[in-house]
Every structure is written in structure tokens, then in C-alpha cells.
Amino acid sequence: AGDLPGQAALAWASFPCQDLSLAGARAGLAAPRSGAFWGFHRLIERLGHEHRAPDILALENVTGLLSSHGGADFSALIHALDGLGYRVGALEIDAALFVPHSRPRLFIIAARQAPNALIGAGPSEPFHTPALRNVVARLPDALRKRFVWWRLAAPPKRNTRLADLLDDDAVWNSDEQTARLISQMSELQRARLDALRESGRREVGAVFKRIRIEHGERVQRAEARFDGVAGCLRTPAGGSSRQSLISVEGERVRSRLISPREAARLMGVPDHHPLTANQTAALHLLGDAVCVPVVRWLSQHLLALARRQPLNLVATDVNDVVATVAALLRQTLSENIIVEEQLDEALSWVVVDRSELEAALLHVAANARDAMPQGGRLSFHTAEVLQPAAVDAGRPARHSVVISI
């Protein structure tokens, strides 16, 4: 806690899901990886002792947390945040509401003060699913009564399908490789594929390989979906976790692996965002990520509103704020963007909300980054200027601090 400057408005945490997911061992929050939550909890607790705890906490994980140990892990997490003085609620949001990619995730939102306008009288669709309602119903009485059903508007209906995000010039597998993939399908899956062939229409499906137990034996099966949505992207820990595409157009059937750029689009990442040249590393990054439009929607319609509060106006060293933001940007922006600052050492301090100023500078920097997809230079300049008097407005001459970006 001592290494963190000031007081953050929001703390976001995504802790390892392996011990909570259906694909993992389901060891729960007591296991080493998913138990990383308790380290985050201790940090927030220490910041609270120093009166520097964030007003808003947002935690993201797989929906398996709802059923882990029969709901006991979810209850323990809610109880822990409640014990820190937060009002706690949760939403289950599927990325498929925003992009053609099925990726349900659980978002636990905790706030020091929960504005009444953001609290629903009870659960509502689409973010309070039956699984979430059931586990909340089993919380201890006192905890259940304090649980917050966050009110979050549903997004506009998605108008894109998987096929809309694919590259036209991609290299497809050989006929032999495609035949091998089809041979791994079950009879039911092959029957569906045959029906699509006979229909004559073009369809693109997403395929995962999974181990199924058939007649007491482990069998690898290729399972396809043709609903215009990709399956949940995973980290490429092995061949079976890499998602494939299968295209059907009459009798012509083709297959290939999904590319990192296509995976990025399924996560809502714009094409100008750089990806590492190593395909495995890029897919690992995307498989661990949170869908961009989901976070944007959550931020704009809940988090930003929940943290609105009176400005904390204090005398502030603007040069220190700019230097802090520049240092953060150097750590987070791609290497092809150079960040520099030219600071007026004689700059006067100003009365301002430091957190709001930092947020504003980061927002402008993000826009500048998006305007330089090929790289460039991001410069911060501070200066003190004397503004002349405005006689008509009755305003005397005054000194002002200017930040130029």
C-alpha cells in the first residue's frame, strides 16, 4: 500500500480463474491461483486504514465463481468486501451482447456509497441471470439484504455476425486437414453439417476440440456452432484450446485456425491496436483479456456514475501530476510512441481535484494514442501565463497554468 500514491477513484482486479472455471480443478478461492483475490483484499484493507481506499471496486472473473463450492466462494467474496465497508452487487455480462463472441463473465461491483438511481428494486434482465439470482438467494440473511442489484441499461441489439469479422485473404487448410477435422465430429454434428451443405447457403461456424467420454473412453471431438457467434476464446495452452473456423458454401467446406487479429476483433479491439508478432503470445493475451465494449459499457453506464462526488479541491503541484501521468504512459503505451514532458519549474501550484486532472490527462492521451496507429510523439508542456483583464466582464488580470498536449 505504501507504494501507491494518493487515493484512486477506482480499483479494478481480474484474478486467475483456473481454480474457479469449469475447465479447471474447481479448487476455489482457497487455491493458490484464484486465491490471489485475498492479496487484493489485504491491499484495499490497508488503504482503508490509511483513509485512501478507492470509492469503487470492480472485480472480474468467470461465471464459475457462482457455483464454486456450491456458492460458498461467492458468498465469502461478497462477505469480505462487505466487511470493508462497501455496498456490493454483481452482474453477469456476456460479450455476445456487444460482439459475436460468447464470453460470459461475472463482474462484482462494490461502492462506498451506492446512489439510489443505480440500485434496482430487485434483479432484472439481462445482467441478473438465474444462476446469479439463485446464489444470492442462498446468501446469509444479513448479507442478502445488503446485496445491491445494480441497475445497468441493456445495450442496443448487436448487428454483427462472426463472418463479418473475418479476413477475406486468409489461408485455409488443405482438403485433407478439413476432412480430418470433420471426422472428429459426432454423428449429430456431421448431420448438421450435411444439412448446411444441402441448403446451399454460406455459413461460417466456430469449432472447438473437446474431450468427451464415450462408452467409457476418452474421445477427442470437434464441436461446431453455426449461430453466427464464436465460442469463448481461451489461452492457447494446447491444441485443443485453439479455436477453428469452418466455412460451408454448398458442397465446398473449408477450415482453418482463427487468427490473432480476428480474435482481437472478437474482443472488440480496433484494428489499429498493435498485436505482438508472436501468434501464441497474442492469442494468450486475448484469451486472458476482458472484452473492450463490455468494460466501456460498464464504465459509462455504472462506474462513472457511481463515483460522481464533490470535487476534492486542494493545492496541487501540476508538474508532479503531469510527470506521474507521463511515467504511467511510458509503462503502458507501445514502444513506437515516445512520451516526453517539458515542465515549467517556476510553475505556481493550483487548486484542483488531482484525481480528476489525472483522469482528464489520461483521456486526452488515449485519444492521441488512437490517432497515431503507426507511432509518434506525445508531448506534455506546462507553462504559466498572464491573462489580461477583461473589463467588459469585470474580470481582472490573472495568472493561469496551461497544460499543452
Side-chain angles (χ1 to χ4, degrees), residues 257-403:
L257 291 172
I258 193 169
S259 74
R261 179 54 64 188
E262 290 166 336
R265 292 175 190 142
L266 290 170
M267 292 295 288
V269 177
D271 277 0
H272 63 71
H273 185 84
L275 297 177
T276 177
N278 184 296
Q279 286 202 8
T280 299
L283 289 168
H284 196 284
L285 175 68
L286 294 163
D288 263 345
V290 185
C291 187
V292 174
V294 171
V295 177
R296 183 185 300 117
W297 188 260
L298 191 60
S299 175
Q300 292 175 344
H301 296 272
L302 182 58
L303 300 181
L305 299 176
R307 67 181 177 87
R308 283 182 180 171
Q309 54 187 318
L311 296 175
N312 181 27
L313 300 176
V314 295
T316 302
D317 182 355
V318 172
N319 280 344
D320 182 66
V321 175
V322 172
T324 300
V325 169
L328 176 62
L329 292 171
R330 289 191 187 97
Q331 297 173 8
T332 55
L333 294 180
S334 59
E335 295 180 353
N336 63 353
I337 295 180
I338 299 173
V339 180
E340 60 184 14
E341 68 261 25
Q342 296 181 13
L343 308 179
D344 183 350
E345 295 182 0
L347 202 67
S348 299
W349 285 34
V350 299
V351 177
V352 67
D353 187 314
R354 180 180 179 118
S355 296
E356 292 292 328
L357 178 57
E358 289 178 347
L361 293 177
L362 289 170
H363 180 74
V364 175
N367 289 336
R369 173 206 61 201
D370 293 343
M372 300 184 292
Q374 305 303 320
R377 189 178 302 272
L378 180 59
S379 302
F380 293 86
H381 302 263
T382 62
E384 188 166 334
V385 298
L386 177 63
Q387 290 186 330
V391 178
D392 293 342
R395 189 185 70 219
R398 62 185 181 184
H399 287 268
S400 297
V401 168
V402 177
I403 304 174

Side-chain angles (χ1 to χ4, degrees), residues 29-329:
L29 287 180
R33 291 173 294 188
S34 296
F37 161 75
W38 297 112
F40 174 78
H41 177 270
R42 286 191 295 272
L43 175 62
I44 300 301
E45 186 176 38
R46 289 169 186 165
L47 289 173
H49 294 329
E50 300 173 7
H51 305 289
R52 296 194 297 128
D55 292 317
I56 305 291
L57 306 179
L59 292 89
E60 174 268 345
N61 213 292
V62 295
T63 57
L65 176 59
L66 295 174
S67 56
S68 179
H69 291 152
D73 285 332
F74 177 80
S75 178
L77 191 151
I78 299 298
H79 184 268
L81 298 179
D82 181 82
L84 294 178
Y86 288 91
R87 295 291 308 278
V88 190
L91 307 105
E92 186 176 336
I93 306 179
D94 192 341
L97 290 169
F98 303 85
V99 291
H101 173 202
S102 177
R103 192 179 185 84
R105 287 294 184 267
L106 185 68
F107 295 86
I108 297 173
I109 309 299
R112 287 289 189 189
Q113 297 182 357
N116 291 331
L118 299 180
I119 300 176
S124 59
E125 296 293 342
F127 303 124
H128 301 137
T129 61
L132 177 59
R133 299 182 195 196
N134 290 338
V135 73
V136 171
R138 298 197 301 271
L139 291 174
D141 288 346
L143 200 59
R144 187 180 69 253
K145 291 177 181 178
R146 290 194 296 273
F147 187 86
V148 178
W149 294 107
W150 293 113
R151 179 179 291 156
L152 181 64
K157 187 175 180 180
R158 171 175 54 83
N159 60 3
T160 56
R161 293 173 59 83
L162 172 60
D164 299 328
L165 305 187
L166 303 183
D167 292 323
D168 295 328
D169 56 352
V171 178
W172 294 82
N173 291 335
S174 66
D175 291 342
E176 291 76 13
Q177 289 173 306
T178 299
R180 191 178 309 120
L181 181 68
I182 295 174
S183 71
Q184 292 179 309
M185 293 182 176
S186 66
E187 290 186 9
L188 178 60
Q189 287 272 317
R190 287 197 294 270
R192 290 172 177 168
L193 188 62
D194 290 339
L196 284 175
R197 282 171 165 165
E198 293 175 3
S199 71
R201 68 178 186 272
R202 181 177 183 267
E203 290 285 352
V204 177
V207 183
F208 264 125
K209 293 181 180 178
R210 293 184 171 88
I211 299 297
R212 299 296 187 188
I213 305 299
E214 299 180 5
H215 307 296
E217 296 183 359
R218 292 166 56 87
V219 179
Q220 187 179 57
R221 289 296 187 192
E223 300 180 356
R225 56 185 298 171
F226 289 95
D227 57 354
V229 176
C232 186
L233 294 172
R234 308 175 191 169
T235 55
S240 62
S241 64
R242 184 86 180 267
Q243 194 162 180
S244 294
L245 300 168
I246 187 166
S247 171
V248 182
E249 192 168 2
E251 291 300 317
R252 188 187 188 192
V253 179
R254 299 179 295 169
S255 68
R256 63 175 175 84
L257 291 172
I258 193 169
S259 74
R261 179 54 64 188
E262 290 166 336
R265 292 175 190 142
L266 290 170
M267 292 295 288
V269 177
D271 277 0
H272 63 71
H273 185 84
L275 297 177
T276 177
N278 184 296
Q279 286 202 8
T280 299
L283 289 168
H284 196 284
L285 175 68
L286 294 163
D288 263 345
V290 185
C291 187
V292 174
V294 171
V295 177
R296 183 185 300 117
W297 188 260
L298 191 60
S299 175
Q300 292 175 344
H301 296 272
L302 182 58
L303 300 181
L305 299 176
R307 67 181 177 87
R308 283 182 180 171
Q309 54 187 318
L311 296 175
N312 181 27
L313 300 176
V314 295
T316 302
D317 182 355
V318 172
N319 280 344
D320 182 66
V321 175
V322 172
T324 300
V325 169
L328 176 62
L329 292 171

